[in-house]
Amino acid sequence: MATTVDTPDSDETCTYCGSRIFDHEPIFVCDCTAECGSSGYFCNYACLSAHIEENELPYANACEWSPE
C-alpha cells in the first residue's frame, strides 16, 4: 500500500462546522486506501465525534465476538 503525505491548504475548512482547521487542532480522516475522495478535515476531536454521531457511522460496524 502506498502512502501519500499531503498538507491541506491554509484555508481548509472543517467538514463538520466550517471553521478554518489550522485555527484549532486539525484532524485528517480517510476511509479508503486509494484516492477515492472519501476524506475529511476536522478542526478538533469534538467536531469529528459530532460528525460520527450525527451520521450514525459506528452503527452496525462493530465486530462480533463469541467465546464459543
Side-chain angles (χ1 to χ4, degrees), residues 40-68:
Y41 296 99
F42 297 89
C43 62
N44 58 45
Y45 284 103
C47 282
L48 173 58
S49 179
H51 174 77
I52 290 169
E53 288 296 320
E54 286 185 10
N55 290 284
E56 300 179 351
L57 299 179
Y59 301 159
N61 285 327
C63 296
E64 293 185 26
W65 178 78
S66 176
E68 298 169 359

Side-chain angles (χ1 to χ4, degrees), residues 5-19:
V5 177
D6 291 324
T7 302
D9 294 334
S10 61
D11 60 345
E12 185 71 47
T13 58
C14 177
T15 300
Y16 181 72
C17 75
S19 295

